[in-house]
Amino acid sequence: MKITPGKINELLSEPGCEHNHKPGEKKKKACQQQAEPGAAQGGCAFDGAMITLVPITDVAHLVHGPIACAGNSWGSRGSLSSGSHIYKMGFTTDLSENDVIFGGEKKLYTAILDVQQRYQPAAVFVYSTCVTALIGDDLDAVCAAAAKKLGTPVIPINSPGFIGSKNLGNRVGGESLLEYVIGTAEPEFTTPFDINLIGEYNIAGELWEVLPLFEKLGIRVLSKMSGDARYHEICYAHRAKLNVTICSKALINIARKMEERYGIPYIEESFYGVEDINRCLRNIAQKLGDLSLQTKVEQLIAEETEKLNTELAYYRERLKGKRVVLYTGGVKSWSIISAAKDLGMEVVATSTKKSTEEDKAKIRTLLGAEGILMEKGNAAELIKVIAQTKADMLIAGGRNQYTALKAKIPFLDINQERHHSYAGYTGMVAMARELEEALYSPIWSQVRQPAPWDLEEVL
């Protein structure tokens, strides 16, 4: 798949994305933001493509570029595997100055053959970078020649970082799956209740909290894109009856185009919070159109809710009325609010970063008139909001923990670096436990005491 200006514009103008319904300048800002030299980008297109595809666990992911690009590793992200761990190995062509001058195609071809001979992956995904795109290496031709030689799929991922943001890279990765992988094989059998999960990366094993629920209902997850996935299952994803998107803005292009090509409807759902997981199961059953399945869903919800209420009683008492500032993005900007409210907590402010207009409407409904919506939240702005709202806690990504420490309030990591699963019913218990332990840690009473030199000044 060649990355041309037309293809980039197509992905940036994805009709299934709510951002593209914005008029004029707002649309331009949301959907066509380009990297600025010297500015903190927060993830490039190359990063986004790897986030989307690296969780396919039995694939060798080969970065064609200088070794520094391979340093953008998956090690800091918590996507887990129940099988192969090839995906955790960092493969790179490690281009030198001479390769930049004379071209890196021969080195890439040799690297693909070497990786296949040593590790026998189900496929090799080859990622272009800024350098190899600028010097003009023909990724598609090299991958096609290597695939013919090996008899193993070799998939080009044309995702140089300079083409745009991380979100655009997510969609580029999705386009590669659509063009080279989905529809290339058939499953051994199908069932009326086959679904795909799109945009679920199995962070901290969250997928494993949800799969048992589907198994109890007789719903089969045919393919995952891409947490704990295997290459072959994505090949036959086109035989599912329903696509369930978990972070629709990232891979909405896959869901929409699969509906166009294969007639598979899609819905957007969340696994965070009691209300959201209940609604998710109900909507899936309703879309699959089976009355007996809908009855099973209601029985499962009743059982799980009763058990959950017992397990959460202690935590709800301890967390009731605690005020929280939430700083995250996308679907979590509203779904975590729902989870916090289930625990009796009050979210007083949240970010709207990466949130669609639909997300923002949900946020406004959940927060109420007094809730604060933050478009941007640097450290100074977050500390200001924390002081203004008298918040008891900050829930955000790992890099914001130091902001919480400066504000002398507890912190909970909600993004991809975390090590605890918060999805589904069991995830709610884990979240409640982590929140309670953070809020009631004895360290905070010590941190908030005046410093010794401040006491001396008073005396």
Side-chain angles (χ1 to χ4, degrees):
M1 179 185 71
K2 296 288 186 182
I3 289 294
T4 62
K7 172 58 74 173
I8 292 173
N9 185 61
E10 175 194 329
L11 295 175
L12 289 172
S13 304
E14 169 57 48
C17 178
E18 185 69 25
H19 276 308
N20 292 299
H21 301 166
K22 295 180 177 180
E25 289 300 311
K26 289 186 177 180
K27 174 181 177 180
K28 181 178 180 181
K29 180 179 178 182
C31 301
Q32 299 183 14
Q33 186 174 0
Q34 295 294 315
E36 296 180 11
Q41 178 63 17
C44 64
F46 166 71
D47 184 30
M50 293 203 77
I51 286 171
T52 296
L53 301 177
V54 168
I56 305 173
T57 63
D58 58 351
V59 166
H61 300 273
L62 173 61
V63 177
H64 183 39
I67 198 166
C69 291
N72 182 36
S73 68
W74 193 257
S76 62
R77 303 180 188 276
S79 181
L80 302 183
S81 171
S82 60
S84 174
H85 284 81
I86 293 176
Y87 78 114
K88 283 189 173 290
M89 302 191 70
F91 300 106
T92 176
T93 51
D94 186 17
L95 295 190
S96 65
E97 289 87 345
N98 280 344
D99 297 318
V100 172
I101 296 168
F102 297 107
E105 293 180 356
K106 290 183 180 179
K107 195 169 188 178
L108 173 59
Y109 183 78
T110 302
I112 294 171
L113 300 186
D114 188 47
V115 166
Q116 175 59 28
Q117 180 181 4
R118 291 184 183 216
Y119 299 98
Q120 292 84 47
V124 180
F125 283 14
V126 183
Y127 301 81
S128 66
T129 57
C130 293
V131 171
T132 50
L134 287 170
I135 66 177
D137 281 359
D138 192 338
L139 203 71
D140 297 67
V142 175
C143 290
K148 185 177 180 180
K149 169 78 172 178
L150 296 170
T152 297
V154 182
I155 311 300
I157 317 294
N158 285 290
S159 56
F162 60 72
I163 64 173
S165 67
K166 182 166 64 175
N167 182 250
L168 176 61
N170 295 148
R171 294 181 184 177
V172 170
E175 287 292 306
S176 299
L177 294 181
L178 283 164
E179 183 164 343
Y180 298 108
V181 185
I182 296 171
T184 59
E186 297 292 334
E188 293 182 4
F189 64 94
T190 60
T191 78
F193 303 144
D194 286 347
I195 67 171
N196 296 326
L197 297 180
I198 299 176
E200 165 52 57
Y201 302 123
N202 198 33
I203 300 298
E206 287 190 336
L207 176 68
W208 302 332
E209 306 288 358
V210 179
L211 287 180
L213 301 175
F214 291 136
E215 291 171 3
K216 288 179 182 178
L217 296 169
I219 296 172
R220 182 172 71 151
V221 177
L222 187 66
S223 303
K224 290 95 64 182
M225 298 184 209
S226 55
D228 196 24
R230 309 296 185 271
Y231 177 80
H232 70 276
E233 71 182 66
I234 298 177
C235 294
Y236 51 64
H238 62 300
R239 293 308 181 196
K241 305 301 187 296
L242 178 68
N243 280 328
V244 181
T245 63
I246 310 304
C247 186
S248 65
K249 185 169 177 279
L251 291 176
I252 186 66
N253 55 319
I254 289 185
R256 185 184 63 79
K257 290 184 178 180
M258 288 185 73
E259 184 172 41
E260 289 180 354
R261 297 180 188 181
Y262 307 111
I264 305 173
Y266 68 91
I267 55 175
E268 178 190 357
E269 299 298 335
S270 165
F271 293 148
Y272 298 111
V274 181
E275 289 186 12
D276 284 4
I277 188 64
N278 289 350
R279 182 167 53 250
C280 171
L281 297 176
R282 285 175 175 139
N283 288 345
I284 290 173
Q286 189 271 327
K287 281 291 184 180
L288 291 173
D290 186 272
L291 292 176
S292 63
L293 178 60
Q294 294 177 37
T295 302
K296 286 182 181 178
V297 165
E298 295 303 327
Q299 292 173 348
L300 178 65
I301 288 174
E303 292 171 4
E304 294 292 339
T305 302
E306 182 180 358
K307 183 168 62 176
L308 191 62
N309 286 337
T310 302
E311 294 176 325
L312 289 180
Y314 168 78
Y315 297 111
R316 281 174 171 156
E317 183 65 29
R318 300 269 284 175
L319 299 174
K320 185 178 179 181
K322 297 297 182 181
R323 299 166 68 83
V324 173
V325 170
L326 175 64
Y327 188 70
T328 183
V331 67
K332 289 199 293 290
S333 60
W334 59 265
S335 61
I336 298 300
I337 299 175
S338 178
K341 291 184 73 172
D342 286 336
L343 296 171
M345 305 180 79
E346 180 184 358
V347 178
V348 293
T350 188
S351 64
T352 56
K353 181 179 64 173
K354 305 179 189 175
S355 298
T356 66
E357 291 302 311
E358 185 180 353
D359 290 337
K360 290 178 183 178
K362 293 176 181 176
I363 290 169
R364 292 187 188 99
T365 301
L366 289 167
L367 281 190
E370 296 182 1
I372 298 173
L373 275 64
M374 299 177 288
E375 185 66 35
K376 293 183 179 179
N378 53 41
E381 182 66 23
L382 280 173
I383 289 175
K384 179 181 176 182
V385 170
I386 288 168
Q388 178 184 341
T389 58
K390 296 182 174 59
D392 299 298
M393 187 174 202
L394 174 64
I395 300 177
R399 62 185 175 183
N400 291 295
Q401 63 180 308
Y402 305 106
T403 303
L405 291 174
K406 288 178 181 178
K408 299 181 179 179
I409 63 170
F411 170 81
L412 184 70
D413 187 354
I414 198 64
N415 282 357
Q416 65 268 8
E417 301 92 352
R418 68 183 183 274
H419 299 286
H420 297 91
S421 166
Y422 301 141
Y425 300 108
T426 52
M428 273 296 294
V429 178
M431 179 184 286
R433 181 172 58 249
E434 291 299 311
L435 287 167
E436 193 270 343
E437 289 180 355
L439 278 164
Y440 288 95
S441 170
I443 191 65
W444 300 112
S445 60
Q446 299 175 42
V447 167
R448 290 166 184 156
Q449 290 178 2
W453 49 87
D454 290 336
L455 286 174
E456 289 175 5
E457 289 180 4
V458 173
L459 296 173

